[in-house]
Amino acid sequence: MPRGGLTRPEGIDPVIDVSGMVDPDGGLVDRRIFSDPTVYSQEMRRIFARSWLFIAHEDQFKKPGDFFQTYMGEDPVIACMNKKKEIRVLLNNCRHRGARVCRADMGQTKNFSCTYHGWTFDLDGKLINVPAQESYASDFNPADWGLVTAPRVESYKGLIFANWDAGAEPLEDALGDMKWYIDAFMDRDPEGTCVVGGVTKWVLDGNWKLAAEQFATDWYHVNMSHASALMVLSPTGKGPKKEIAQRTGRQYNDDHGNGAGFPVHPRNRFDAQPVHEYYDYEFLRERLSPEQVMGPLTNGHATIFPNFSYLPVNGSIRVWHPKGPNKMEVWSWTVLDKGMPEDVRHAQRLYNLRTFGPSGIFEQDDGENWSECQANAHAFMVGNTALNYQMGLGTEKHEEGFPGTTSELYSDAAGRAVYRRWRELMSTPAWHENKE
């Protein structure tokens, strides 16, 4: 054991009772959960410190030494492939003075070295070199000072997640019935999926929960917020036909705060014509199921709690990285089936950039909405006015062919589930708070 010891004083991390700030059964949410700094700080400790958080796609790691720098909450981490071809997730924070040991976004390396004093760590986070180590006491042991390592790293269908809680339930248990909905996106090709075009990043004014909840629950905004985009995309330039604009569908939610929504139609198709023509829908009905093909295979939206979302129709996956209560950083990837020929890959990537890239015709609408919601969230009367999440109350059901709990397409059911899970975690001490 290293010499010395620290004792953090009680109360340095204040805990507030947020149980009365969310009423999922009544469909009410206290506006201040989006703007209060104390609430945000507690989220870092009680949600992000013990939830499964998306890290990267397996396709980003081909050989030992491949690495990718990202965040778990606001904690900087490095995901890397070690010599055994295992993915390790390391806290990007030197144990000596706290500088980052990696500054590149991604790349290939043999080790990570701090540019401050030269402490060097291997691909497993072990401290392997300390300049002037003879100046330390004889009982100094480098084995005690390696990089903090996420104890749990697990994957599902190419998606890598990590968790700081060693005792957390397995990733697949946390996903539950959500796996069926993910499979409609990530398991269409027997060869699996790949990522193309790198990672696109941009910053928005708005609390991270605004984006996460919308992708879990909100088809309701589409015809209003995206009216101009729908006009641009429609063949006539006048917008979609009534039967398309007012289509019906389903919304999924579960006790883990995961949610997905999607129109349901036997002739659902992909928006980009080359992508639509590429797919053999009969094959997909056999590989997946008829319900997956007429529902979550194409148009739709989804969030894996707390801050990972995806859009199947254009192959977009993204993380809403929190950057304080009033700001988020969006990281977006384009995910494609490995079997896609180059022309189809190109079409899908362009469609993603044009619709949900940082300057996409849909993405700009969403960012504007979230910024507008956040603009005055800190104000007194605004902050003391409850928000309504009551759409679809009482419509939740269990329906044959669609796993888990579903409701109508136009519903806040998954949003209520997001905040039910949020309230549960915010009201329960996390692993690092439990004292024996």
Side-chain angles (χ1 to χ4, degrees), residues 253-268:
N253 71 86
D254 62 32
D255 292 340
H256 284 84
N258 305 315
F262 44 89
V264 171
H265 192 280
R267 297 180 64 185
N268 264 351

Side-chain angles (χ1 to χ4, degrees), residues 1-2 95 119-122 125-131 133-134 136-147:
M1 293 292 292
R95 296 292 303 281
W119 282 29
T120 303
F121 306 84
D122 68 12
K126 296 177 181 177
L127 179 58
I128 56 174
N129 182 61
V130 177
Q133 183 175 332
E134 66 277 5
Y136 285 86
S138 60
D139 61 353
F140 174 81
N141 185 358
D144 296 329
W145 297 101
L147 299 178

Side-chain angles (χ1 to χ4, degrees), residues 103-158:
R103 300 187 187 182
D105 290 341
M106 61 187 72
Q108 233 280 332
T109 189
K110 294 181 179 179
N111 52 56
F112 301 102
S113 184
C114 179
T115 57
Y116 195 178
H117 296 94
W119 282 29
T120 303
F121 306 84
D122 68 12
L123 300 176
D124 289 298
K126 296 177 181 177
L127 179 58
I128 56 174
N129 182 61
V130 177
Q133 183 175 332
E134 66 277 5
S135 298
Y136 285 86
S138 60
D139 61 353
F140 174 81
N141 185 358
D144 296 329
W145 297 101
L147 299 178
V148 175
T149 304
R152 302 287 295 279
V153 180
E154 298 177 19
S155 300
Y156 184 75
K157 299 298 169 69

